Amino acid sequence: MLSREENELLTLVHAGTPMGRLLRRYWIPALLSEEIPNPDCPPVRVRLLGEDLVAFRDTQGRIGLLDEHCSHRGTSLFYGRNEECGLRCIYHGWKYDVEGNVLETPAELAGSQLKNKVHHNAYPCVEAGGLVFTYMGERDEIPVFPTYAWLGVPQNQIYIAKSLLECNYLQGLDGDCDSAHLNFLHKMFKPDARREFLRHEDQSPAFEIDEMDFGFRVAAIRKIGPDKSYVRISQFVMPFIGCVPVGREVDGKLDGFKAVYQVPSDNNNTWRYDFFFKWSKPMIKEDSSKRDFVGADYRKLRIRNNYLQDRQIQKTVNFTGIEEFLNQDACATESMGPIVDRTKEHLGVSDSYVIQVRRFLLKALRDLEAGKPPPGLVYDSGKADFSRIRCDVAYLSSNVSWRTLFEDKSSETGKA
Ligand code: FES
Ligand SMILES: [Fe+2]
């Protein structure tokens, strides 16, 4: 349970709010690379942290992310002409480059200095792993771009499912920090080959949670013999990434995992990116079946129709009567309403990780107010090491701690 004030602190993300300020200190996903696939292709609208923006890829392949409304008199640049290294407004032809410089004001008299007096708001972008990331904060506080392991694998070993979650990002994030729901919301009544890890489900796991500089590391430990444990390690990475071990194991090792980004579009909507990858081999067609559950605008096809819940399937096939885990997650979180009233919750032991993550975020807000840098950010590229941010599974002797899997890195601040 949170106070009304705490709930507002955590959930409101528009410019000028405390959480809006915190989130603007991080590199965050803005869109998929494939939404602007080629130089001079049509621009797309991007709503991010309550701001209306337009993304385009210029003639040289550079990406621009500009305020949607033209600095001249406000026409949407979404309708603009993407040509010759700039985006040109259709109303009077003002042309902008990817940095927001006004290149031309063709309706003005020759020699006009107007274009030199105006700067259009633009955010820097970096492309990695099939995503376009942006930084929306002050330019003198820009951190090193975090090259997480999953952003460095070949593109054909990556699959990203993008969808619009029609509620506040914290409801999505709460779900990512809540493994208790796996055995209910996502339960199949028949064994599901895709969820190999549930074969150990009858041994209810013990959880060990370490607070890290970047968020949390969580180990779910199941005893599978007198002297053996099966450990699954997840991570929460600031500001809204949940890394979970999914996918097949190859020789007892996890062949990739999933990083889920819950990116606020505005206070009431969230861009959810499920970033799957394999270390060893390309994705195959069946890996990408999750794409079928959204339309071209990434809105779910099942939402206004009660997620096409089938009461017969609910009796015989799965716990919800709803197909596809992303729809199941969406139903659970969207049906709370746009921003759930957390003053009315009744939290139990199974919510302890959710509680810790919320506390971590509240502390980050307080620290930011006090002038301290946000957690997990690196400002010196010589000190950047993102390799320790990863999921794992391991079969360990009972006298061996799972923490030894991460011991090679000395810069950790985890508390045992
Ligand atoms: S409104 Fe865009 S050029 Fe006039
Ligand atoms: Fe889920």
Side-chain angles (χ1 to χ4, degrees):
M1 182 179 132
L2 296 175
S3 69
R4 184 171 308 279
E5 188 196 17
E6 288 170 328
N7 201 30
E8 286 182 2
L9 277 174
L10 288 175
T11 54
L12 302 183
V13 298
H14 291 204
T17 62
M19 184 54 83
R21 278 198 290 280
L22 180 65
L23 294 176
R24 282 168 175 78
R25 297 291 295 269
Y26 292 82
W27 285 97
I28 62 174
L31 70 163
L32 298 171
S33 294
E34 66 183 36
E35 293 181 64
I36 42 172
N38 305 308
D40 292 338
C41 66
V44 296
R45 286 194 181 95
V46 176
R47 186 161 163 80
L48 210 53
L49 306 184
E51 297 185 30
D52 289 317
L53 308 168
V54 165
F56 72 107
R57 194 185 292 271
D58 78 1
T59 312
Q60 292 177 15
R62 296 174 302 185
I63 295 175
L65 186 61
L66 309 181
D67 275 1
E68 178 177 353
H69 296 284
C70 181
S71 281
H72 178 218
R73 276 170 43 204
T75 294
S76 170
L77 295 172
F78 167 74
Y79 299 100
R81 303 172 62 93
N82 186 7
E83 57 188 16
E84 292 158 8
C85 284
L87 188 60
R88 191 185 291 282
C89 178
I90 55 166
Y91 204 1
H92 314 93
W94 283 34
K95 184 177 177 184
Y96 303 93
D97 71 7
V98 293
E99 290 169 354
N101 298 308
V102 185
L103 302 176
E104 297 171 18
T105 54
E108 298 304 302
L109 296 173
S112 163
Q113 289 303 303
L114 184 55
K115 69 178 165 54
N116 300 323
K117 294 183 188 148
V118 179
H119 186 81
H120 192 73
N121 192 37
Y123 296 118
C125 294
V126 169
E127 220 170 350
L131 286 168
V132 177
F133 292 83
T134 191
Y135 171 80
M136 295 168 68
E138 299 294 330
R139 292 300 174 97
D140 57 354
E141 293 172 329
I142 194 162
V144 174
F145 179 77
T147 49
Y148 298 126
W150 58 90
L151 299 177
V153 301
Q155 202 63 49
N156 67 352
Q157 292 168 216
I158 293 170
Y159 165 66
I160 308 172
K162 175 177 180 178
S163 57
L164 184 69
L165 186 68
E166 297 191 30
C167 63
N168 182 261
Y169 83 99
L170 191 60
Q171 274 149 254
L173 185 57
D174 279 351
D176 295 336
C177 301
D178 160 25
S179 61
H181 82 269
L182 288 178
N183 290 330
F184 303 94
L185 185 71
H186 300 309
K187 188 182 182 72
M188 303 285 290
F189 296 139
K190 294 199 186 95
D192 179 358
R194 289 174 304 170
R195 300 206 193 117
E196 282 179 88
F197 68 93
L198 288 180
R199 70 190 181 280
H200 297 306
E201 69 184 328
D202 39 355
Q203 289 93 7
S204 61
F207 288 96
E208 292 182 10
I209 303 175
D210 283 2
E211 188 175 316
M212 310 296 295
D213 54 352
F214 58 77
F216 288 95
R217 187 177 283 158
V218 184
I221 305 163
R222 293 168 168 89
K223 268 201 151 326
I224 55 169
D227 185 36
K228 203 146 199 211
S229 298
Y230 173 65
V231 185
R232 300 179 59 80
I233 296 152
S234 315
Q235 308 215 327
F236 163 68
V237 184
M238 281 294 283
F240 43 48
I241 311 171
C243 298
V244 282
V246 297
R248 295 189 185 275
E249 291 166 29
V250 176
D251 300 329
K253 284 202 163 35
L254 197 61
D255 187 24
F257 53 88
K258 175 171 84 158
V260 183
Y261 293 76
Q262 306 279 1
V263 190
S265 173
D266 53 32
N267 291 336
N268 296 341
N269 294 280
T270 304
W271 296 114
R272 174 174 172 156
Y273 296 89
D274 285 68
F275 189 111
F276 301 86
F277 74 96
K278 292 179 181 173
W279 294 118
S280 71
K281 54 182 183 288
M283 291 285 171
I284 52 174
K285 198 152 187 265
E286 67 191 50
D287 293 324
S288 55
S289 60
K290 292 170 187 65
R291 205 156 270 207
D292 303 340
F293 84 110
V294 294
D297 57 0
Y298 305 103
R299 287 173 192 272
K300 290 180 291 295
L301 304 175
R302 295 167 172 235
I303 178 167
R304 315 269 173 249
N305 46 22
N306 293 331
Y307 305 87
L308 293 179
Q309 185 184 39
D310 182 320
R311 297 293 185 179
Q312 196 53 36
I313 287 176
Q314 191 172 27
K315 279 202 172 94
T316 55
V317 178
N318 67 20
F319 198 75
T320 56
I322 295 169
E323 277 181 19
E324 175 56 54
F325 80 91
L326 286 164
N327 284 320
Q328 295 159 1
D329 277 339
C331 177
T333 50
E334 290 171 337
S335 65
M336 297 170 182
I339 302 182
V340 68
D341 182 353
R342 291 183 175 80
T343 66
K344 293 182 175 164
E345 292 176 329
H346 299 87
L347 301 183
V349 175
S350 66
D351 304 299
S352 55
Y353 183 35
V354 171
I355 294 166
Q356 287 192 62
V357 170
R358 292 177 186 175
R359 279 196 195 133
F360 189 91
L361 288 167
L362 284 168
K363 179 169 186 302
L365 290 173
R366 280 196 306 274
D367 285 351
L368 189 67
E369 284 299 297
K372 294 187 197 160
L377 294 178
V378 181
Y379 291 93
D380 176 351
S381 55
K383 290 193 180 141
D385 173 18
F386 301 102
S387 63
R388 66 209 168 101
I389 298 180
R390 64 176 201 269
C391 293
D392 228 328
V393 300
Y395 296 83
L396 297 173
S397 300
S398 294
N399 59 351
V400 176
S401 165
W402 58 271
R403 294 182 180 91
T404 58
L405 297 170
F406 295 88
E407 258 174 11
D408 46 327
K409 309 295 172 202
S410 55
S411 58
E412 291 171 4
T413 59
K415 292 178 239 162

